[in-house]
Amino acid sequence: MLKTRFTEMFGVQYPIVQGGMQWVGRAELTAAVANAGALGFLTGLTQPTPEDLVKEVKRCRDMTDKPFGVNLTILPTLVPRPYGEYIDAIIQSGVKIVETAGNNPKPFLPKFKEAGIKVIHKCTSVRHGVTAERIGVDAISMDGFECAGHPGEDDVPNLVLLPAAANVINIPMIASGGFADARGLVAALALGCDGVNMGTRFMATKEAPIHQKVKEAIVGADERSTALIFRTMRNTSRVFNNSVAKKAIEMEHEGKTIAEIGPIVSGQKGKVVYETGDLEHGIWSAGTCMGLIQDIPTCKELVDRMVREAKDIIAKRLAAMAA
Ligand code: NAD
């Protein structure tokens, strides 16, 4: 055990979360994370329709009897998605934990609460965390500038963001962005959080349903191997720094619109990267913590190692300093 307010609230063994990741958060990974004693999330929008999401939840439930959740990210998309129907599908599926992200979850909270669903809201600023607590979410996932995907527009890294948030947030909070090992986990606990959320680290695991070449690229990359696209549109996204990311940034600076850039940055192209291992086919999300990732373990090996080493750091290294 490594007990925190987060593990108590969500009924998991360890304060480690596999957060939503477009195209990656599928049943194989989420069930493996759950079976390892951590909290996994299926990514709602990875499923083409709400009916497919219900089937994916069932598939995941066939692979684990441990708790897991569904991520629902509400951000601009190239093709409109029926969010209301995805919410109904989540409720119908019987899942009891949801991770919301990208937008204020207030409109959906009554439905989730009525269905007995606990909501973790992922946000990128202290003020949004405070609002989320006020409107009644159960926990916060605070996502710093280091993260893969959408870090918001304030550019505050976690060394400041997390304690600043911990000063004013009272509900359980997990730290997201830049976490990949036991040192990060212990640091997050010291900064006032109740656990960590990891995305990129879980991509480089045996069970992640993506091509081996993508996993090897993560292991081969360092902390400088990401790029920030969509800055000019205030929809910043941190992605692997490949030729497509460079081209997208160039087009943005030439004043091209999303309609013109869309064909090269579309999620459908990113999906092909994960399927084929062609790293230059599209954009794909990855975080700065690639600089900390040096192997491709199973989820269980990863979680066990993090917990074992975290306990060692707390009980030996830090305790010796305070003795
Ligand atoms: P998509 O193909 O619809 O869009 C590709 C990218 O373009 C996304 O980053 C999207 O935010 C951005 N975009 C689309 N329309 C835009 C606009 N009008 N202005 C500015 N930017 C715009 O995306 P997808 O890969 O099908 O993903 C669906 C949604 O999930 C997107 O909003 C994406 O950002 C988000 N997402 C979620 C996760 C997660 O972990 N849950 C991870 C990555 C992306």
Side-chain angles (χ1 to χ4, degrees):
M1 290 294 289
L2 194 57
K3 196 161 89 175
T4 70
R5 294 189 301 167
F6 185 82
T7 60
E8 298 284 282
M9 180 177 273
F10 292 95
V12 288
Q13 229 175 327
Y14 304 124
I16 298 174
V17 175
Q18 166 257 310
M21 289 176 276
Q22 183 66 318
W23 313 126
V24 186
R26 299 175 189 270
E28 288 75 11
L29 178 61
T30 300
V33 170
N35 287 331
L39 183 59
F41 279 93
L42 298 171
T43 303
L45 296 185
T46 292
Q47 298 305 319
T49 68
E51 296 73 40
D52 291 311
L53 178 56
V54 175
K55 285 185 202 150
E56 190 71 357
V57 170
K58 185 174 177 324
R59 214 162 67 79
C60 194
R61 207 171 273 134
D62 288 343
M63 290 186 243
T64 184
D65 56 6
K66 302 270 178 60
F68 64 90
V70 173
N71 161 283
L72 189 68
T73 299
I74 300 180
L75 280 169
T77 51
L78 294 174
V79 180
R81 305 294 290 265
Y83 292 114
E85 291 172 32
Y86 276 91
I87 286 163
D88 291 343
I90 290 169
I91 292 168
Q92 188 199 330
S93 75
V95 148
K96 293 296 174 204
I97 308 172
V98 165
E99 177 188 67
T100 54
N103 221 313
N104 188 329
K106 190 174 181 184
F108 333 120
L109 281 184
K111 266 194 170 181
F112 285 145
K113 292 268 159 185
E114 202 178 306
I117 292 173
K118 287 200 173 76
V119 175
I120 303 174
H121 183 59
K122 186 192 269 189
C123 52
T124 57
S125 71
V126 176
R127 64 190 188 286
H128 291 155
V130 168
T131 302
E133 175 170 353
R134 192 181 64 239
I135 64 174
V137 305
D138 299 279
I140 301 289
S141 179
M142 190 54 73
D143 208 11
F145 190 51
E146 299 90 336
C147 73
H150 297 274
E153 310 304 324
D154 293 343
D155 302 0
V156 183
N158 271 331
L159 197 55
V160 169
L161 182 66
L162 298 174
N167 281 343
V168 289
I169 285 171
N170 303 298
I171 54 179
M173 179 168 68
I174 53 169
S176 184
F179 296 97
D181 61 24
R183 295 167 300 181
L185 171 56
V186 175
L189 300 177
L191 291 169
C193 297
D194 303 281
V196 291
N197 176 82
M198 307 193 298
T200 308
R201 175 62 272 197
F202 277 115
M203 287 170 75
T205 57
K206 290 219 164 56
E207 297 94 339
I210 56 176
H211 200 281
Q212 180 70 12
K213 280 196 179 145
V214 178
K215 301 178 190 183
E216 286 167 7
I218 291 172
V219 171
D222 68 19
E223 61 280 5
R224 299 175 308 154
S225 305
T226 70
L228 295 168
I229 62 171
F230 304 144
R231 289 242 87 165
T232 57
M233 300 170 197
R234 295 191 63 75
N235 184 33
T236 301
S237 185
R238 189 183 293 283
V239 297
F240 192 84
N241 189 12
N242 64 8
S243 59
V244 188
K246 289 187 176 80
K247 180 72 187 163
I249 292 168
E250 192 184 303
M251 290 174 80
E252 279 186 69
H253 289 141
E254 288 165 3
K256 298 273 197 299
T257 63
I258 186 70
E260 294 165 299
I261 305 173
I264 70 161
V265 298
S266 83
Q268 289 306 321
K269 286 213 151 166
K271 185 169 175 241
V272 173
V273 172
Y274 295 136
E275 286 166 356
T276 64
D278 174 1
L279 302 172
E280 303 292 322
H281 191 83
I283 57 161
W284 52 284
S285 296
T288 52
C289 71
M290 286 191 291
L292 304 173
I293 297 172
Q294 280 147 12
D295 61 358
I296 305 172
T298 65
C299 290
K300 182 163 169 40
E301 285 163 353
L302 173 64
V303 170
D304 283 352
R305 180 174 71 200
M306 272 184 74
V307 171
R308 188 180 62 248
E309 291 181 359
K311 284 180 179 171
D312 270 1
I313 295 171
I314 296 165
K316 294 182 186 161
R317 186 160 189 267
L318 300 183
M321 289 175 187

